[in-house]
Amino acid sequence: MIEDIAIESRGTIKLSAPDCTSCMLCVRECPVWCIEIDSHTEQVTPEGARRPRSVAVLDAFTIDWGLCMYCGICVEVCPFDALAWAPSPRGGVGEAEQLVAGIEDLSG
Amino acid sequence: MTIAANSVEITQQIEWISAEQWRDSLASAHRQGWVCLDVLTAIDRPEQREFHVVLHANRVDSALGQWWGVVVPQHDAELASLVDVFKAAAWHERETREMFGITFTGNVVSHDPTAQGLLLSDEAPVTPLRKHVPLGARVDTPWPGNADPDPRRSASRRRQAPPGTRPEWFETGDGQ
Ligand code: SF4
Ligand code: SF4
């Protein structure tokens, strides 16, 4: 879980990828449709377990900062606290496509 | 005055006025010092089959502002113009007419059929701020929320309408 930060500090949104279960709640609640998730399920058998269980594996998670309006709904709806505000705002970019941030960028 | 970014409270109330009293009440407010028209616009309330026309005016002798509102039925979307009270109302009423289809009686431009395009191009949809008018980008863009990692869950999931859309936008036909 990412550390709690005062809500005034809406610099950027951070993703803690290991906590994300690909539940899609943030994607479906985002009013401007700027979060996209690509994921698949895998069968894993934990040691000692009798039957395999399926777990979601996150393949891609992007936020398009060109569309995001910093409303914070995604942060609020995430049941696993995988999204959180971070205080430092993002730097500028040269091309519009660079506003689409992936897992690595969002986790940094 | 300090306002915390996350705790701005909307404390201002709207003073509701009847359509018959709209012009006279605002003329009276103007005489009492509410001289600076800030905004006049409308809200489409399709379920109630009415518009809310709202107006915000400021004073120049203090930092106060005030909202006024009036309910206008959609089957008779006409309201007295305020151009002789606030000159600036001419622009806002013309814009509100173009975006919602409300006529402002007494606003000369609002009645002039040759003065259609203040803000919209000829190709733009008619009265685009009416809620039944589809937002093109929302209809044409695939919603990322349709994806689901687990096909079994996907099959049992209750279908949710994409946020910011209305079901009638996706009905076949002309969408009107
Ligand atoms: S802050 Fe709001 S607009 Fe931005 S990604 Fe989250 S839900 Fe979407
Ligand atoms: S709501 Fe949280 S757990 Fe669910 S997909 Fe979004 S970030 Fe992942």
Side-chain angles (χ1 to χ4, degrees):
Chain A
M1 200 192 106
I2 302 169
E3 199 184 327
D4 265 359
I5 290 160
I7 196 155
E8 287 86 351
S9 316
R10 296 194 176 201
T12 189
I13 293 166
K14 291 285 181 202
L15 169 73
S16 169
D19 292 327
C20 174
T21 63
S22 318
C23 72
M24 300 294 288
L25 265 182
C26 57
V27 177
R28 295 191 180 123
E29 293 299 323
C30 173
V32 296
W33 308 10
C34 73
I35 308 177
E36 288 194 29
I37 288 183
D38 194 14
S39 60
H40 67 277
T41 48
E42 275 176 14
Q43 303 295 318
V44 291
T45 316
E47 222 171 302
R50 279 213 213 125
R51 277 184 290 154
R53 60 189 184 97
S54 59
V55 291
V57 180
L58 194 60
D59 298 311
F61 187 112
T62 56
I63 296 183
D64 186 343
W65 295 110
L67 292 173
C68 173
M69 55 177 184
Y70 291 77
C71 65
I73 289 173
C74 54
V75 175
E76 274 176 40
V77 298
C78 178
F80 305 98
D81 289 344
L83 294 170
W85 288 108
S88 312
R90 302 176 53 82
V93 294
E95 305 288 334
E97 300 87 72
Q98 293 168 350
L99 289 167
V100 182
I103 294 178
E104 203 178 320
D105 191 344
L106 294 169
S107 307
Chain B
M1 186 172 62
T2 53
I3 298 174
N6 64 328
S7 63
V8 179
E9 267 183 60
I10 307 297
T11 50
Q12 292 185 8
Q13 299 292 312
I14 297 179
E15 188 177 323
W16 292 98
I17 295 167
S18 73
E20 295 72 38
Q21 292 294 313
W22 180 243
R23 199 212 141 272
D24 288 352
S25 296
L26 268 305
S28 155
H30 186 276
R31 283 194 299 274
Q32 288 159 32
W34 303 96
V35 292
C36 184
L37 174 64
D38 192 13
V39 66
L40 183 155
T41 187
I43 302 154
D44 185 14
R45 299 279 186 207
E47 283 74 24
Q48 288 82 32
R49 295 176 199 274
E50 57 195 30
F51 295 109
H52 292 176
V53 174
V54 291
L55 176 153
H56 189 258
N58 296 312
R59 304 187 70 86
V60 285
D61 54 4
S62 78
L64 292 176
Q66 166 71 42
W67 284 100
W68 286 267
V70 55
V71 177
V72 178
Q74 296 194 336
H75 67 266
D76 183 20
E78 207 169 326
L79 187 66
S81 170
L82 301 176
V83 277
D84 59 340
V85 180
F86 305 98
K87 283 206 176 71
W91 167 277
H92 292 285
E93 288 175 354
R94 209 175 140 187
E95 183 184 16
T96 305
R97 170 198 183 235
E98 201 170 334
M99 298 296 167
F100 295 91
I102 301 167
T103 304
F104 291 87
T105 320
N107 182 328
V108 186
V109 183
S110 175
H111 291 288
D112 180 356
T114 63
Q116 289 276 341
L118 174 68
L119 296 158
L120 299 173
S121 71
D122 291 343
E123 297 85 53
V126 178
T127 63
L129 293 190
R130 296 286 306 272
K131 287 178 181 164
H132 67 265
V133 179
L135 198 56
R138 284 278 156 104
V139 176
D140 298 341
T141 312
W143 181 46
N146 281 330
D148 210 305
D150 186 340
R152 284 172 312 169
R153 195 169 69 187
S154 170
S156 63
R157 177 165 66 90
R158 195 168 57 86
R159 290 286 147 184
Q160 168 195 350
T165 65
R166 293 177 66 85
E168 65 259 35
W169 295 0
F170 302 97
E171 280 160 17
T172 46
D174 63 5
Q176 290 297 300

